[in-house]
Amino acid sequence: MDDTSTSYCHYSNNKKESRLISVEDLKKGILFAMKENLMIQFVYPDFELPQEYKEVINTIDHSDIVSSQCKDEVLRNNADIIIFNNWKESESYKIKEDGIYVIRTSKSELFENHSLLSKILPIAKRINVVITNIDSFDENDFEKYKEILSSLSKETEELYVDGKTPQLNLLTDRMMLDKMNNCNSGDENITLAPDGKFYVCPAFYLTDDDEDYGLGKSKFSIGDLENGLDIKNSQLYKLSYAPICRNCDAYQCKRCVWLNRKTTYELNTPGHEQCVVSHLERNESRELLVNIRKHGMFLPEKEIKEISYLDPFDVRKEW
Ligand code: SF4
């Protein structure tokens, strides 16, 4: 909706100056989505939108992604997904039983504050923890992350034993999955930005100039409302063209093409850090599944194999 719309994922949005999408482009974007049979998610800035925008938005079925700091209380109270851009915001927020929350956190903030999840996990319908600097993980961080996942796993197990069904993306998603469930931006998801152009995801629109390797911002656009989509090498966004990921079973991994591009300069090739972090989650999900089953029958049809690697690239000769 706006240049200052909240981030809901790995990328940061440092923009301070508002630039709302024009009402005309908003209407055209809705029409485009209707014709292409796409589901719409609106991503909001923290200020209240003009009434004219609200009326256009309400002409179509959609989901709302809103920061916990949004000034529009009605929107915030009815949002589908609430974003916490730091842990402090989550501490003072009234968590709802049917609420879906995203906590965006750096690794160090996660290491310090993960115990705060204990307060939210038993109440919320779902929590997604998104680490904003995965690419900076080193060996010590991997160890620390493993410990944190293990402690969260114990808490989650206890909640299951109490008859609850907490959802924490880091641990419970993989237990439920039989195949890849990635972000799929550029393949199944696209973003219409405030400039009226399409992008693979908001990260590609918001990429700072010093991160674009001199290519210029328009280089990242994948079409516009006048001419439709024009995705160069569109196959590169598909799992079948991702040589490492298609041999992987960390099904809960975001398989973030923006992170891929940032870390390996290849959209379809992940960096080591993304893979290890996802495999630590995958392996702890396996532990959680085994441990919950000690208390009774649970997802009997699901199986997560024991594996010896944390990065599929390391076992590529076996494929
Ligand atoms: S863990 Fe690595 S190889 Fe597996 S899906 Fe994620 S990015 Fe791809």
Side-chain angles (χ1 to χ4, degrees):
M1 295 301 301
D2 188 80
D3 270 11
T4 62
S5 286
T6 183
S7 168
Y8 55 88
C9 202
H10 295 302
Y11 66 94
S12 299
N13 185 1
N14 301 320
K15 292 208 183 305
K16 302 273 180 281
E17 215 168 295
S18 165
R19 174 193 184 175
L20 259 179
I21 190 167
S22 70
V23 178
E24 292 68 37
D25 283 348
L26 182 60
K27 286 181 187 164
K28 284 183 198 163
I30 290 173
L31 190 61
F32 179 89
M34 285 168 76
K35 283 186 186 162
E36 299 290 331
N37 206 15
L38 300 173
M39 281 163 55
I40 300 184
Q41 296 178 313
F42 291 110
V43 189
Y44 291 84
D46 284 355
F47 60 86
E48 185 170 350
L49 294 184
Q51 186 58 26
E52 191 184 9
Y53 282 75
K54 294 184 190 178
E55 282 164 15
V56 174
I57 286 169
N58 282 330
T59 59
I60 185 88
D61 199 18
H62 66 273
S63 302
D64 294 324
I65 302 179
V66 179
S67 139
S68 68
Q69 302 302 296
C70 181
K71 311 281 182 299
D72 183 341
E73 216 174 312
V74 176
L75 174 66
R76 195 159 31 79
N77 284 335
N78 292 294
D80 298 275
I81 302 178
I82 292 284
I83 314 293
F84 298 122
N85 279 296
N86 58 60
W87 292 88
K88 223 179 170 54
E89 288 175 12
S90 75
E91 264 188 296
S92 51
Y93 205 82
K94 186 164 172 11
I95 302 296
K96 292 201 252 176
E97 270 181 29
D98 58 351
I100 299 178
Y101 302 91
V102 172
I103 302 181
R104 298 183 63 250
T105 173
S106 68
K107 64 181 181 193
S108 55
E109 286 165 354
L110 175 66
F111 297 163
E112 258 173 56
N113 297 294
H114 63 93
S115 58
L116 292 175
L117 282 171
S118 313
K119 286 193 200 151
I120 312 175
L121 200 53
I123 307 170
K125 180 174 174 194
R126 178 173 174 83
I127 304 172
N128 281 359
V129 174
V130 180
I131 304 173
T132 51
N133 55 352
I134 284 189
D135 46 315
S136 71
F137 267 70
D138 61 19
E139 290 304 320
N140 288 335
D141 298 327
F142 292 143
E143 273 310 309
K144 185 91 186 127
Y145 190 50
K146 193 174 170 203
E147 283 167 26
I148 288 169
L149 287 172
S150 171
S151 118
L152 287 171
S153 176
K154 286 194 183 68
E155 284 178 44
T156 310
E157 179 190 341
E158 281 164 24
L159 289 171
Y160 269 98
V161 173
D162 279 354
K164 300 203 164 84
T165 48
Q167 290 186 42
L168 174 64
N169 66 327
L170 308 178
L171 290 173
T172 60
D173 283 6
R174 179 59 185 84
M175 293 198 309
M176 313 288 173
L177 292 168
D178 296 312
K179 59 182 173 59
M180 280 292 180
N181 184 36
N182 318 125
C183 163
N184 293 336
S185 279
D187 184 18
E188 294 178 356
N189 280 316
I190 49 159
T191 291
L192 175 63
D195 65 357
K197 291 182 180 164
F198 291 116
Y199 292 82
V200 169
C201 79
F204 285 84
Y205 172 64
L206 293 165
T207 291
D208 290 336
D209 290 343
D210 61 351
E211 285 178 12
D212 75 6
Y213 312 104
L215 294 171
K217 195 168 274 281
S218 61
K219 192 83 184 171
F220 294 115
S221 158
I222 53 166
D224 57 45
L225 287 163
E226 264 53 60
N227 304 298
L229 289 173
D230 174 25
I231 309 180
K232 304 268 185 299
N233 290 317
S234 57
Q235 75 281 1
L236 293 180
Y237 298 95
K238 295 185 186 300
L239 179 63
S240 54
Y241 279 79
I244 304 174
C245 300
R246 71 178 179 223
N247 285 294
C248 175
D249 77 346
Y251 299 149
Q252 88 295 348
C253 178
K254 277 204 167 59
R255 203 165 69 76
C256 174
V257 293
W258 176 73
L259 260 183
N260 289 355
R261 183 189 160 278
K262 190 175 173 196
T263 52
T264 69
Y265 301 105
E266 300 280 354
L267 291 166
N268 59 349
T269 305
H272 176 67
E273 297 81 9
Q274 184 173 195
C275 291
V276 175
V277 163
S278 290
H279 277 75
L280 292 171
E281 294 161 4
R282 176 217 179 270
N283 292 346
E284 194 53 54
S285 301
R286 181 179 180 278
E287 286 296 314
L288 177 59
L289 188 57
V290 168
N291 289 335
I292 294 176
R293 280 179 180 157
K294 287 179 187 158
H295 305 279
M297 186 84 103
F298 182 71
L299 299 172
E301 71 290 357
K302 304 285 181 206
E303 199 215 347
I304 307 177
K305 280 190 309 182
E306 187 158 18
I307 52 174
S308 56
Y309 57 88
L310 288 173
D311 183 344
F313 184 75
D314 296 338
V315 291
R316 61 195 177 282
K317 293 205 171 73
E318 293 168 22
W319 300 338

Short mmCIF file of all heavy atoms in Angstrom, two decimals, residues 85-91 103-120 129 144 148 151-152 155:
data_model
loop_
_atom_site.label_atom_id
_atom_site.label_comp_id
_atom_site.label_asym_id
_atom_site.label_seq_id
_atom_site.Cartn_x
_atom_site.Cartn_y
_atom_site.Cartn_z
N ASN A 85 7.65 -5.80 15.27
CA ASN A 85 8.99 -5.54 14.72
C ASN A 85 10.08 -5.60 15.77
O ASN A 85 11.25 -5.40 15.46
CB ASN A 85 9.01 -4.20 13.96
CG ASN A 85 8.45 -4.38 12.56
OD1 ASN A 85 9.02 -5.10 11.74
ND2 ASN A 85 7.31 -3.78 12.30
N ASN A 86 9.69 -5.83 17.01
CA ASN A 86 10.66 -6.13 18.06
C ASN A 86 9.92 -6.81 19.21
O ASN A 86 8.68 -6.81 19.25
CB ASN A 86 11.43 -4.89 18.52
CG ASN A 86 10.50 -3.82 19.03
OD1 ASN A 86 9.76 -4.06 19.99
ND2 ASN A 86 10.50 -2.65 18.39
N TRP A 87 10.68 -7.37 20.13
CA TRP A 87 10.06 -8.16 21.22
C TRP A 87 9.28 -7.31 22.18
O TRP A 87 8.30 -7.76 22.78
CB TRP A 87 11.15 -8.95 21.93
CG TRP A 87 11.72 -10.02 21.08
CD1 TRP A 87 12.76 -9.89 20.20
CD2 TRP A 87 11.26 -11.37 20.95
NE1 TRP A 87 12.98 -11.07 19.55
CE2 TRP A 87 12.09 -12.01 20.01
CE3 TRP A 87 10.26 -12.11 21.57
CZ2 TRP A 87 11.92 -13.34 19.65
CZ3 TRP A 87 10.09 -13.44 21.22
CH2 TRP A 87 10.91 -14.04 20.27
N LYS A 88 9.75 -6.08 22.37
CA LYS A 88 9.08 -5.17 23.31
C LYS A 88 7.61 -4.98 22.91
O LYS A 88 6.71 -4.99 23.75
CB LYS A 88 9.81 -3.81 23.30
CG LYS A 88 9.99 -3.23 24.65
CD LYS A 88 10.74 -1.90 24.54
CE LYS A 88 10.74 -1.17 25.83
NZ LYS A 88 11.23 -1.89 26.97
N GLU A 89 7.41 -4.83 21.60
CA GLU A 89 6.04 -4.63 21.11
C GLU A 89 5.15 -5.81 21.49
O GLU A 89 3.98 -5.63 21.83
CB GLU A 89 6.04 -4.49 19.58
CG GLU A 89 6.62 -3.18 19.09
CD GLU A 89 6.72 -3.11 17.57
OE1 GLU A 89 6.15 -3.96 16.86
OE2 GLU A 89 7.39 -2.19 17.09
N SER A 90 5.72 -7.00 21.47
CA SER A 90 4.90 -8.19 21.76
C SER A 90 4.58 -8.30 23.24
O SER A 90 3.54 -8.82 23.63
CB SER A 90 5.62 -9.45 21.28
OG SER A 90 6.68 -9.78 22.15
N GLU A 91 5.48 -7.76 24.08
CA GLU A 91 5.30 -7.87 25.54
C GLU A 91 4.05 -7.17 26.03
O GLU A 91 3.35 -7.65 26.91
CB GLU A 91 6.51 -7.27 26.25
CG GLU A 91 7.54 -8.28 26.64
CD GLU A 91 8.60 -7.63 27.49
OE1 GLU A 91 9.30 -6.73 26.98
OE2 GLU A 91 8.71 -8.00 28.67
N ILE A 103 6.71 -12.38 14.61
CA ILE A 103 7.74 -11.67 15.38
C ILE A 103 8.98 -11.58 14.52
O ILE A 103 9.60 -12.61 14.19
CB ILE A 103 8.06 -12.38 16.70
CG1 ILE A 103 6.78 -12.52 17.53
CG2 ILE A 103 9.13 -11.60 17.48
CD1 ILE A 103 6.97 -13.19 18.87
N ARG A 104 9.33 -10.38 14.10
CA ARG A 104 10.55 -10.16 13.32
C ARG A 104 11.67 -9.87 14.31
O ARG A 104 11.56 -8.96 15.13
CB ARG A 104 10.38 -9.01 12.33
CG ARG A 104 9.28 -9.26 11.30
CD ARG A 104 9.19 -8.13 10.28
NE ARG A 104 10.41 -8.00 9.51
CZ ARG A 104 11.28 -7.00 9.61
NH1 ARG A 104 11.04 -6.00 10.45
NH2 ARG A 104 12.37 -6.98 8.88
N THR A 105 12.72 -10.63 14.21
CA THR A 105 13.78 -10.48 15.21
C THR A 105 15.15 -10.77 14.61
O THR A 105 15.28 -11.63 13.74
CB THR A 105 13.53 -11.46 16.39
OG1 THR A 105 14.65 -11.43 17.27
CG2 THR A 105 13.33 -12.90 15.92
N SER A 106 16.14 -10.04 15.10
CA SER A 106 17.51 -10.40 14.74
C SER A 106 17.89 -11.63 15.55
O SER A 106 17.22 -11.97 16.54
CB SER A 106 18.46 -9.25 15.05
OG SER A 106 18.55 -9.11 16.46
N LYS A 107 18.97 -12.29 15.16
CA LYS A 107 19.36 -13.51 15.90
C LYS A 107 19.69 -13.15 17.35
O LYS A 107 19.28 -13.87 18.28
CB LYS A 107 20.53 -14.22 15.21
CG LYS A 107 21.80 -13.42 15.19
CD LYS A 107 22.95 -14.10 14.48
CE LYS A 107 24.16 -13.18 14.57
NZ LYS A 107 25.26 -13.55 13.70
N SER A 108 20.40 -12.05 17.59
CA SER A 108 20.79 -11.74 18.97
C SER A 108 19.57 -11.42 19.83
O SER A 108 19.49 -11.83 20.99
CB SER A 108 21.81 -10.60 19.02
OG SER A 108 21.30 -9.50 18.35
N GLU A 109 18.59 -10.72 19.24
CA GLU A 109 17.36 -10.44 20.00
C GLU A 109 16.61 -11.74 20.29
O GLU A 109 16.02 -11.89 21.36
CB GLU A 109 16.44 -9.51 19.20
CG GLU A 109 16.93 -8.07 19.16
CD GLU A 109 16.22 -7.26 18.08
OE1 GLU A 109 15.45 -7.83 17.28
OE2 GLU A 109 16.49 -6.06 18.01
N LEU A 110 16.64 -12.65 19.36
CA LEU A 110 15.99 -13.95 19.59
C LEU A 110 16.69 -14.71 20.71
O LEU A 110 16.04 -15.27 21.60
CB LEU A 110 16.01 -14.78 18.30
CG LEU A 110 15.47 -16.20 18.41
CD1 LEU A 110 13.96 -16.19 18.70
CD2 LEU A 110 15.73 -17.00 17.14
N PHE A 111 18.02 -14.69 20.68
CA PHE A 111 18.77 -15.40 21.72
C PHE A 111 18.47 -14.83 23.10
O PHE A 111 18.40 -15.55 24.08
CB PHE A 111 20.29 -15.33 21.45
CG PHE A 111 20.71 -16.00 20.15
CD1 PHE A 111 21.95 -15.74 19.58
CD2 PHE A 111 19.86 -16.89 19.50
CE1 PHE A 111 22.33 -16.36 18.40
CE2 PHE A 111 20.24 -17.51 18.31
CZ PHE A 111 21.49 -17.24 17.76
N GLU A 112 18.25 -13.53 23.16
CA GLU A 112 17.97 -12.87 24.45
C GLU A 112 16.53 -13.02 24.91
O GLU A 112 16.26 -13.13 26.11
CB GLU A 112 18.21 -11.35 24.30
CG GLU A 112 19.51 -10.86 24.88
CD GLU A 112 19.70 -9.41 24.52
OE1 GLU A 112 18.82 -8.60 24.83
OE2 GLU A 112 20.74 -9.11 23.89
N ASN A 113 15.61 -13.00 23.95
CA ASN A 113 14.20 -12.83 24.32
C ASN A 113 13.29 -14.03 24.06
O ASN A 113 12.09 -13.93 24.26
CB ASN A 113 13.61 -11.64 23.55
CG ASN A 113 14.27 -10.34 23.91
OD1 ASN A 113 14.16 -9.88 25.04
ND2 ASN A 113 14.98 -9.76 22.96
N HIS A 114 13.86 -15.13 23.61
CA HIS A 114 13.00 -16.24 23.18
C HIS A 114 12.06 -16.71 24.28
O HIS A 114 10.97 -17.24 24.00
CB HIS A 114 13.85 -17.41 22.66
CG HIS A 114 14.74 -18.00 23.70
ND1 HIS A 114 14.35 -19.08 24.46
CD2 HIS A 114 15.96 -17.66 24.14
CE1 HIS A 114 15.31 -19.37 25.30
NE2 HIS A 114 16.30 -18.53 25.13
N SER A 115 12.43 -16.49 25.56
CA SER A 115 11.55 -16.97 26.64
C SER A 115 10.21 -16.22 26.63
O SER A 115 9.22 -16.71 27.18
CB SER A 115 12.24 -16.82 28.00
OG SER A 115 12.59 -15.49 28.20
N LEU A 116 10.18 -15.04 26.00
CA LEU A 116 8.90 -14.31 25.93
C LEU A 116 7.86 -15.08 25.12
O LEU A 116 6.66 -14.86 25.26
CB LEU A 116 9.11 -12.92 25.29
CG LEU A 116 9.93 -11.92 26.10
CD1 LEU A 116 10.15 -10.64 25.30
CD2 LEU A 116 9.22 -11.60 27.42
N LEU A 117 8.34 -15.99 24.27
CA LEU A 117 7.39 -16.79 23.48
C LEU A 117 6.50 -17.63 24.38
O LEU A 117 5.38 -17.97 24.02
CB LEU A 117 8.15 -17.70 22.51
CG LEU A 117 8.70 -17.03 21.24
CD1 LEU A 117 9.61 -17.98 20.50
CD2 LEU A 117 7.56 -16.58 20.34
N SER A 118 7.02 -17.97 25.56
CA SER A 118 6.23 -18.81 26.49
C SER A 118 4.91 -18.16 26.87
O SER A 118 3.95 -18.86 27.20
CB SER A 118 7.00 -19.05 27.78
OG SER A 118 8.29 -19.42 27.50
N LYS A 119 4.87 -16.83 26.84
CA LYS A 119 3.64 -16.14 27.21
C LYS A 119 2.63 -16.16 26.06
O LYS A 119 1.43 -16.20 26.28
CB LYS A 119 3.95 -14.67 27.54
CG LYS A 119 4.62 -14.47 28.86
CD LYS A 119 4.59 -13.00 29.21
CE LYS A 119 5.65 -12.68 30.24
NZ LYS A 119 6.14 -11.32 30.13
N ILE A 120 3.16 -16.08 24.84
CA ILE A 120 2.26 -15.94 23.68
C ILE A 120 1.81 -17.30 23.15
O ILE A 120 0.66 -17.48 22.77
CB ILE A 120 2.97 -15.17 22.53
CG1 ILE A 120 3.64 -13.91 23.07
CG2 ILE A 120 1.99 -14.81 21.44
CD1 ILE A 120 4.46 -13.17 22.04
N VAL A 129 8.01 -16.85 13.75
CA VAL A 129 9.22 -16.10 14.09
C VAL A 129 10.04 -15.97 12.82
O VAL A 129 10.31 -16.97 12.14
CB VAL A 129 10.03 -16.84 15.18
CG1 VAL A 129 11.36 -16.13 15.42
CG2 VAL A 129 9.22 -16.91 16.47
N LYS A 144 23.76 -22.15 19.45
CA LYS A 144 22.83 -21.43 20.32
C LYS A 144 21.39 -21.63 19.84
O LYS A 144 20.47 -21.85 20.63
CB LYS A 144 23.23 -19.94 20.31
CG LYS A 144 22.47 -19.07 21.22
CD LYS A 144 23.17 -18.97 22.57
CE LYS A 144 22.31 -18.19 23.52
NZ LYS A 144 22.00 -18.74 24.76
N ILE A 148 18.04 -23.22 21.71
CA ILE A 148 16.77 -22.49 21.87
C ILE A 148 15.61 -23.30 21.28
O ILE A 148 14.54 -23.41 21.89
CB ILE A 148 16.88 -21.10 21.20
CG1 ILE A 148 17.77 -20.21 22.06
CG2 ILE A 148 15.51 -20.45 20.98
CD1 ILE A 148 18.18 -18.93 21.42
N SER A 151 14.65 -25.99 23.69
CA SER A 151 13.86 -25.54 24.84
C SER A 151 12.43 -25.17 24.40
O SER A 151 11.46 -25.49 25.10
CB SER A 151 14.60 -24.40 25.56
OG SER A 151 13.90 -23.23 25.55
N LEU A 152 12.28 -24.57 23.23
CA LEU A 152 10.93 -24.26 22.73
C LEU A 152 10.16 -25.54 22.45
O LEU A 152 8.94 -25.62 22.64
CB LEU A 152 11.01 -23.42 21.45
CG LEU A 152 11.44 -21.96 21.63
CD1 LEU A 152 11.70 -21.32 20.27
CD2 LEU A 152 10.35 -21.18 22.36
N GLU A 155 8.63 -26.88 25.61
CA GLU A 155 7.41 -26.12 25.97
C GLU A 155 6.24 -26.50 25.08
O GLU A 155 5.10 -26.64 25.53
CB GLU A 155 7.67 -24.62 25.81
CG GLU A 155 8.49 -24.05 26.92
CD GLU A 155 8.76 -22.58 26.70
OE1 GLU A 155 7.82 -21.87 26.33
OE2 GLU A 155 9.91 -22.15 26.89
#
